[in-house]
Amino acid sequence: MALSGFRALCISAILPITSLQSGQLLRSLSSSTAATSGESSGAMAVKKVTLSNFCSVLENLRIRIREADFVAVDLEMTGVTSAPWRDSFEFDRSDVRYLKVKDSAEKFAVIQFGLCTFRWDDCQGSFIAQPLNFYIFPRKEPSGEGPTNEFLCQTTSMSFLAKYQFDFNACVHEGISYLSKAQEAEALQKLCSGYENGLLNLSGNFEESAEIPAVRTADVLFTERMKIRFCEWRENVLKYPEDPILEGNHCSFNMDFQMVFFKMRPAIMLNGFTSHRLRLIQLVLRKHFKDLLYLCVSGENCSSQKLVVFTDSEVDRASLMREVKEDKLRSGKVRIRSAVGFRHVIDLLSSEEKLIVGHNCFLDIAHIYSKFIGPLPSSVDEFALSVNKNSFGRSFVKIDVQSDELGFSSCNSASKHEAGFDAFMTGCVFAQACSHLGIKFEQGTIINLVENNILKSYINILYPSWNSGTVINLRTGAESPVSCYKRKYPNINFTSIAIIWGFSSMLKPKDLEECLCRVFGTASVIYVFFLDRTAALIQFNKSELVNDFLVLKDMLEKDDGPIPVLHPLVNLLAGGNTRAADYNTYRDICSSSASKILFAEQAETIGIRWKTKIRHACEETVELNGIKDSASKERSNDNDSKVQSLQFSFEEMMNSL
């Protein structure tokens, strides 16, 4: 299932902006915005969208997006990492990095979706920006559609949102719910299969029984009384077929037996009966009245109504059942469609095929896919293909903020790190970056950014994480380095890395390095990187040392006697809980959906009981061949890599602004 029509552009893949203050950007990019906002960005109005005004906003948004030249988005989530070791590290290989992003998108909720449309106004010679703040919440609607969602909350993320006045009450009580494409398809399939295979709960899902169970005296008396009352009503219907309701007023019927018409047929609405007594009523009808049909249909506000309907023949009975089933199918489809909720916005963005601009938005796109499309693919290559199913001026760019046509009744003063404001800021930076790249916004110019030759080399090029030092091409799924990124660990070789966990929390990185160097040589260890206090990645200077270390550890622990006190590894292996393996085991543990704070606890949760996993020669050969293929592919895409790399320094950006 693909996120078709999306053309994503990560603004930080064009130039770095992290050192710029939002107030500086507003003053630089928009003279009119700066005039209204003064020294802070708090005076800008962003429209607040909740469940109460979502439908009206959606209709207007269709026009805005259709007229827009590009759309900027930003998301606020309940958290980013489910455990410290799931944070993004330079030691993460591309497949591991994606698994961490996947874990984050699957476990945390999106609670605010910022969207800002940008349209070039030829008369004003500026962009018109219209920012919106959508509050969303994955609740189960009263209609019964949608999953009962569970999600994690990270205290630092929630504190961060509270610091910037996030309205949690609006989110929980008025947030817009949603169904993903996969959830909608599943609900429709279940509805249609029910239509094909049965009566769609026409009789309340009670099992048929030929005999009335006379268990209690009260049940026997009740069933006899019901038999008499239905018999009287049926005789009245046959006696006065023209208008049995008016003619039958002399019958002793009260509010629990309300006489009505249902689909032009005489009927009784049953009120106030327990489920047990409704079951007894069905048994009475089934045994004694072949022309009375019990139905359970939807009433007002999704409530269920229990009816007994008179049918004058078998043909009429079959016709009535078919009508009710078709009504249920139609209403079910309407109910499912209404439960789609906020996903209508995602469908709109996809269908209009506008350029989507985000800031470090790889995680944002993963969230959009997970929440509104379906389960995330298992690999970054599959994810890239699923997302992308489709096809130097120095002047400042003017941007005006357009308020809601109906006034400011539903607008809030914007603040930093509110999704709508952040989407607006992202779009502002993108507009200035376009000008910096030489794209002209002039009167009489037709703007088509999607097909712009200058931007083509940047579209669908995303940073997988802030410290990866690489970009992912969503057209091919290939990951390539960014030339100007200065890595803290510049010489990472994944085949030379071992993962160790479960050792004493008293050990420090220098302790691990010293004990390993005493065994394998002074310069044998290049890096020691702690994932948490009892887990670390060790990079040796040779890949064969990984296996040498694992074999030695296994041999020492299999010896019946204690490890010699003077052995260099005695402190590392003390306690008998130290585990070790190669880098692929780190990847496998990251792929687990479990959430434990410590890496050692995570490994135990997924069933790792062994102490040492030794890499066999055949596995090493396969992995080395894979690396050679990857290197060959990287060389063949060398020209693309050059295009994808950052072209502008921070000083140049400041000069431009």
Side-chain angles (χ1 to χ4, degrees), residues 15 29 34 70 152 230 242 262 279 313 408 463 469 492 559 571 611 630:
L15 68 172
L29 295 177
F70 66 92
L152 297 181
F230 283 121
E242 297 297 329
F262 179 75
R279 178 187 175 90
S313 66
F408 289 88
Y463 279 120
I492 295 176
D559 194 353
N571 292 332
K611 290 188 175 182
S630 177

Side-chain angles (χ1 to χ4, degrees), residues 137-148:
F137 192 74
R139 76 170 62 81
K140 192 177 183 70
E141 290 295 339
S143 62
E145 302 301 335
T148 302

Side-chain angles (χ1 to χ4, degrees), residues 260-268 295 297-298 305 307-310 320 323-324 327:
V260 295
F261 276 102
F262 179 75
K263 293 190 178 296
M264 306 298 292
R265 298 171 177 86
I268 294 176
L295 295 176
V297 298
S298 297
Q305 291 181 347
L307 298 169
V308 177
V309 184
F310 175 80
L320 175 61
E323 289 180 50
V324 173
D327 286 349

Side-chain angles (χ1 to χ4, degrees), residues 91-93 96 494 497-499 537 581-587:
F91 280 89
D92 292 340
R93 202 166 56 195
V96 173
F494 297 109
I497 295 177
I499 174 76
L537 294 169
D582 64 4
Y583 192 89
N584 287 336
T585 298
Y586 174 50
R587 175 203 60 200

Side-chain angles (χ1 to χ4, degrees), residues 280-430:
L280 294 175
I281 288 174
Q282 290 180 73
L283 294 172
V284 169
L285 296 174
R286 196 172 292 125
K287 183 175 182 180
H288 299 287
F289 302 96
K290 301 302 181 184
D291 50 1
L292 300 185
L293 178 63
Y294 178 91
L295 295 176
C296 178
V297 298
S298 297
E300 296 180 356
N301 300 322
C302 298
S303 61
S304 61
Q305 291 181 347
K306 313 303 188 297
L307 298 169
V308 177
V309 184
F310 175 80
T311 57
D312 56 17
S313 66
E314 287 294 328
V315 174
D316 186 41
R317 182 186 183 93
S319 175
L320 175 61
M321 293 175 67
R322 184 172 60 254
E323 289 180 50
V324 173
K325 286 197 294 182
E326 290 173 351
D327 286 349
K328 278 183 172 284
L329 184 63
R330 278 193 297 270
S331 63
K333 289 181 177 179
V334 171
R335 187 173 64 249
I336 292 170
R337 189 62 181 164
S338 65
V340 166
F342 181 77
R343 207 202 75 221
H344 286 300
V345 175
I346 305 301
D347 292 344
L348 184 58
L349 290 172
S350 181
S351 63
E352 291 296 328
E353 298 190 349
K354 296 294 182 179
L355 185 66
I356 308 298
V357 180
H359 175 248
N360 286 338
C361 59
F362 190 77
L363 178 59
D364 289 0
I365 293 179
H367 268 288
I368 290 172
Y369 195 104
S370 175
K371 304 300 186 293
F372 309 116
I373 306 302
L376 282 164
S378 58
S379 71
V380 67
D381 292 341
E382 295 174 22
F383 173 71
L385 293 175
S386 297
V387 169
N388 189 48
K389 291 279 186 179
N390 61 9
S391 52
F392 290 110
R394 294 285 178 175
S395 60
F396 297 130
V397 180
K398 183 182 177 184
I399 298 175
D400 295 324
V401 180
Q402 181 173 329
S403 64
D404 180 47
E405 292 82 353
L406 301 177
F408 289 88
S409 59
S410 57
C411 293
N412 291 348
S413 294
S415 60
K416 290 189 298 183
H417 304 298
E418 191 177 54
F421 179 76
D422 287 356
F424 166 75
M425 292 303 302
T426 302
C428 288
V429 175
F430 171 70

Side-chain angles (χ1 to χ4, degrees), residues 21 24 51 64 70 84 92 108 181 192 199 221 228 253-254 275 305 340 367 384 391 425 548 562 637:
Q21 298 296 319
Q24 293 174 331
L51 195 60
R64 290 185 182 184
F70 66 92
D92 292 340
F108 294 101
K181 285 181 179 291
C192 293
L199 298 182
L221 294 176
I228 293 171
F253 281 65
N254 49 34
S275 58
Q305 291 181 347
V340 166
H367 268 288
S391 52
M425 292 303 302
D548 292 346
N637 294 330

